[in-house]
Amino acid sequence: SRAHGMFFGSSPDRTSQIQGVMDAVFTYNVPLNLSTNAWVMNVVVTNVPPSITLKWNAVSNCYYLIERRSPPQTTWQRLASVTPPSYTDATVVPGNEYEYRLSPDAAVPQEFFAATDPGHLTMTSGLRLPANELPDHVLLIVDRSITNNVPFSTAVTGLIRDLSAEGWVVARYNGPRHDDAVWANNPARIAEVKTWIANYRIANPDKAKAVLLLGHLPIPRSGMLSPDGHSYRPLPADGYYGDFDGVWTDTMNWPLAPAIEVPNVPGDGIFDQELIPPNAAGIAAVELAVGRVDFANMPTFAGATPARSEVDLLVQYMTKTRRYRRAEVTLPERAIYGPYFSSNAVTEASDKLGQHLSKLGARLGIGVVGTNASGSVKADFFTANLPAVWGVQGGFAGGYSLIHSRGPVNAYHGIVPHQTSDLLLDAAEPPIAFSVVEGSWMPEWNAADHLGRALLSTRNYGYAWSYAGATRIEWQYPVMALGKTLGEAWRKTQNDAWMWPLGSVTYQSIYGTGVRVYIGDPSQGGYVFATLLGDPTLRQAPSRPPGTLTGQVNGSGHRVFSWAASPEPGAMYHVYRSAVGVGGEWTRLTAVPLASLGYTDTAPPPGSPAYLVRSLVLRSVASGSITNLSAGNLWP
């Protein structure tokens, strides 16, 4: 550009030159109006010779920095600086997981960027990745106020067997119930739950990986936040239960004012933090994944025919997720996404919330089927009747139990309002496994008849829900395409938040003066309101387990087992043993996968050991391949 000269003015033909005196002119070795419009990235995997090619949909004049890391690495290795649309990494090794990061490779003033969304893209890939067959310990915390209910107690026992059949070691604690009437009773109850988790981690170093809160357990609250543009208030912050070295405080004074719904003052048991706080070393991260299943205060379902109480809904949830984790219910691996915030074409083109949700919908499909259009379908998942693993939705909410409340928006998109009461009928149940929803009041998932919890209250589907938090949360659920659990994706969302600069927040005068800037640094944690409602151990594409397992003791004292074949084509099998029975640590007995349908343990330990048989198949998707290990069958 400098070689060809330049002009200053308002017309390219130089007829409207600038009038005045210029003190100085600075030029940069990048084009003006630098465009970083790479919206999504996909990969093409080659097995022989092994390579991973990154492709992104940029029409850009920008160089992109390609970086890579492999778990458990947290720092990035620079690979190259290239122009669109692709880059091939030929240094990959089968069996290793790789995460790639794409970002503009230009150090220029921010105002030079014509479009900055997104500033970064990531993609997880790998060839023939091994199964995570022994995922360590899950901490199951059960609402002790309902443990005397026989159907509930029986369902919890079944849940422990289901978790054990997936390789988990289950540690159970019966915890206190949240007090909805008197907040002052809750801080001590929150501390009780957190203390038990902390003590378990100390007694079992590096073992615990996830926490499942089952029932109406104490709900931490934190910050003074308005992610949905409404009243400022402390929001539920279950991430507190997964963070063990962050410095949480309760010293700030957030006084009550017309713009604030709930006060937050020193010593009230409500934390100050808006983001997961850094530890003493300046790093913000959670150590455990946290998921919650809570159906308290859902009066609409209590008034159904037949009535479904809080306990009924908990039992129903454990029953239907058992069917899902054992692949008795299967759904197409695609995302049904619908961003509905605009009432005409002009506002739709500039809709940042809608763009954010559309990007998430595209990424969820790309990990499985690449850029094939079947991977993500634009529709209202409430009424489209399109079965899918993922449903992504955004719209104006008219309270906690209603979405799509604005007539002009509904008319433009051809949609209708949806509310909690609609979901009482099986015919109205969306055939969606996991949903992500953006809307007013959605961060307060503990409210009565909350729409997100209502989606989990349906009879057959609805296994997890999250508040989208657009444009504040970069959900990492796409990593589930390669076998990660919901909890692993939630934890990655929180811990990688520093990669996605959150911009700045200007506080009203009652908060003090100035602007707090989040700069995209490891000291920046994820927002406290990034909540996972659902079982954090669930996976996106469970494979089918083997058939019925039978065992007997022969005359030599050996334990002889046989089982029916899994319906999965090409399935093979591993056999595991726990010396202390179901719920304990598993040890794999088979050095290599078995093609046969039987196994003999010639050296069983004394006592009453438990055995587990699981099937494994190679799962190949657009982002790579992984050994997919099923839930198993237990004996006895």
Side-chain angles (χ1 to χ4, degrees), residues 72-419:
Q73 295 175 340
T74 56
T75 57
W76 295 90
Q77 170 194 359
R78 180 186 178 101
L79 296 182
S81 181
V82 297
T83 54
S86 67
Y87 171 79
T88 298
D89 181 6
T91 66
V92 299
V93 177
N96 288 354
E97 178 183 313
Y98 299 101
E99 184 179 13
Y100 295 91
R101 180 167 71 168
L102 177 77
S103 59
D105 194 16
V108 298
Q110 188 69 24
E111 60 267 21
F112 270 36
F113 287 91
T116 58
D117 181 31
H120 303 80
L121 293 172
T122 61
M123 189 75 180
T124 298
S125 184
L127 292 75
R128 304 185 73 87
L129 298 174
N132 183 14
E133 56 183 324
L134 299 173
D136 283 322
H137 297 200
V138 57
L139 309 186
L140 175 62
I141 304 177
V142 180
D143 181 347
R144 62 181 175 233
S145 71
I146 54 177
T147 53
N148 288 334
N149 181 284
V150 174
F152 177 72
S153 180
T154 301
V156 172
T157 300
L159 173 61
I160 292 172
R161 287 183 66 86
D162 291 339
L163 293 168
S164 187
E166 291 184 334
W168 291 95
V169 176
V170 183
R172 175 178 174 175
Y173 179 72
N174 293 338
R177 187 174 178 84
H178 186 82
D179 191 330
D180 293 311
V182 183
W183 167 258
N185 291 331
N186 291 313
R189 302 180 188 192
I190 294 167
E192 178 186 335
V193 173
K194 181 68 172 282
T195 298
W196 181 81
I197 298 172
N199 288 341
Y200 189 90
R201 292 184 70 250
I202 293 170
N204 302 271
D206 301 320
K207 291 292 187 180
K209 293 295 186 291
V211 176
L212 171 52
L213 303 167
L214 186 62
H216 196 44
L217 291 148
I219 304 168
R221 297 178 73 91
S222 190
M224 188 58 70
L225 293 147
S226 177
D228 52 358
H230 292 282
S231 301
Y232 285 85
R233 67 274 198 199
L235 290 176
D238 275 350
Y240 173 71
Y241 288 131
D243 180 28
F244 293 91
D245 57 3
V247 182
W248 294 77
T249 61
D250 181 17
T251 59
M252 292 184 66
N253 184 31
W254 308 86
L256 188 63
I260 296 177
E261 184 181 77
V262 177
N264 185 352
V265 297
D268 61 357
I270 299 176
F271 298 109
D272 303 322
Q273 280 63 39
E274 297 168 324
L275 306 173
I276 299 296
N279 58 20
I283 304 298
V286 292
E287 286 70 46
L288 302 184
V290 182
R292 178 187 288 264
V293 180
D294 185 343
F295 296 112
N297 202 13
M298 298 293 286
T300 292
F301 287 89
T305 304
R308 277 177 272 174
S309 67
E310 173 188 353
V311 171
D312 294 331
L313 294 173
L314 287 167
V315 172
Q316 174 183 274
Y317 180 86
M318 288 183 271
T319 301
K320 69 180 181 180
T321 53
R322 183 177 197 272
R323 294 194 298 267
Y324 181 77
R325 65 170 83 241
R326 299 185 68 83
E328 295 172 12
V329 175
T330 59
L331 293 164
E333 287 189 81
R334 61 186 176 190
I336 311 300
Y337 72 99
Y340 303 116
F341 296 102
S342 52
S343 56
N344 55 63
V346 174
T347 56
E348 187 173 23
S350 59
D351 176 16
K352 293 297 184 183
L353 296 179
Q355 292 167 11
H356 193 95
L357 296 177
S358 297
K359 181 180 69 173
L360 176 59
R363 292 179 65 215
L364 288 166
I366 281 173
V368 178
V369 299
T371 54
N372 188 312
S374 66
S376 53
V377 178
K378 189 174 182 180
D380 179 349
F381 76 72
F382 279 87
T383 54
N385 198 29
L386 292 173
V389 170
W390 290 100
V392 180
Q393 185 88 274
F396 292 99
Y400 305 109
S401 62
L402 172 69
I403 196 170
H404 304 331
S405 60
R406 295 196 180 181
V409 174
N410 296 354
Y412 175 68
H413 290 284
I415 58 175
V416 296
H418 308 302
Q419 56 190 348

Side-chain angles (χ1 to χ4, degrees), residues 333-611:
E333 287 189 81
R334 61 186 176 190
I336 311 300
Y337 72 99
Y340 303 116
F341 296 102
S342 52
S343 56
N344 55 63
V346 174
T347 56
E348 187 173 23
S350 59
D351 176 16
K352 293 297 184 183
L353 296 179
Q355 292 167 11
H356 193 95
L357 296 177
S358 297
K359 181 180 69 173
L360 176 59
R363 292 179 65 215
L364 288 166
I366 281 173
V368 178
V369 299
T371 54
N372 188 312
S374 66
S376 53
V377 178
K378 189 174 182 180
D380 179 349
F381 76 72
F382 279 87
T383 54
N385 198 29
L386 292 173
V389 170
W390 290 100
V392 180
Q393 185 88 274
F396 292 99
Y400 305 109
S401 62
L402 172 69
I403 196 170
H404 304 331
S405 60
R406 295 196 180 181
V409 174
N410 296 354
Y412 175 68
H413 290 284
I415 58 175
V416 296
H418 308 302
Q419 56 190 348
T420 290
S421 58
D422 297 337
L423 300 173
L424 293 175
L425 301 176
D426 290 352
E429 177 180 356
I432 301 293
F434 312 127
S435 54
V436 181
V437 177
E438 176 67 41
S440 296
W441 313 112
M442 290 297 104
E444 294 184 84
W445 53 260
N446 57 315
D449 278 339
H450 185 276
L451 188 63
R453 292 194 293 137
L455 286 167
L456 305 192
S457 301
T458 53
R459 293 184 190 273
N460 302 297
Y461 307 101
Y463 314 124
W465 179 91
S466 294
Y467 169 56
T471 55
R472 296 166 175 83
I473 303 173
E474 283 287 345
W475 283 108
Q476 296 300 307
Y477 288 134
V479 301
M480 293 176 65
L482 282 175
K484 304 292 187 183
T485 64
L486 279 166
E488 288 175 298
W490 176 86
R491 184 169 176 264
K492 183 174 176 59
T493 299
Q494 293 284 25
N495 292 354
D496 284 359
W498 59 270
M499 292 199 308
W500 317 92
L502 300 180
S504 61
V505 177
T506 303
Y507 292 104
Q508 298 180 8
S509 59
I510 59 172
Y511 304 152
T513 58
V515 176
R516 178 176 296 175
V517 180
Y518 304 123
I519 58 173
D521 182 271
S523 64
Q524 168 192 298
Y527 276 113
V528 296
F529 54 78
T531 299
L532 168 62
L533 297 184
D535 185 336
T537 68
L538 294 177
R539 301 179 187 274
Q540 178 167 313
S543 60
R544 298 178 182 179
T548 303
L549 172 66
T550 60
Q552 60 183 347
V553 180
N554 65 14
S556 302
H558 301 164
R559 285 184 167 86
V560 182
F561 299 95
S562 62
W563 55 88
S566 165
E568 296 276 2
M572 302 183 78
Y573 307 93
H574 272 316
V575 180
Y576 305 82
R577 182 180 67 203
S578 170
V580 298
V582 173
E585 300 270 2
W586 292 109
T587 299
R588 178 152 53 86
L589 301 179
T590 44
V592 295
L594 301 176
S596 61
L597 302 178
Y599 179 82
T600 300
D601 184 4
T602 59
S608 302
Y611 291 83

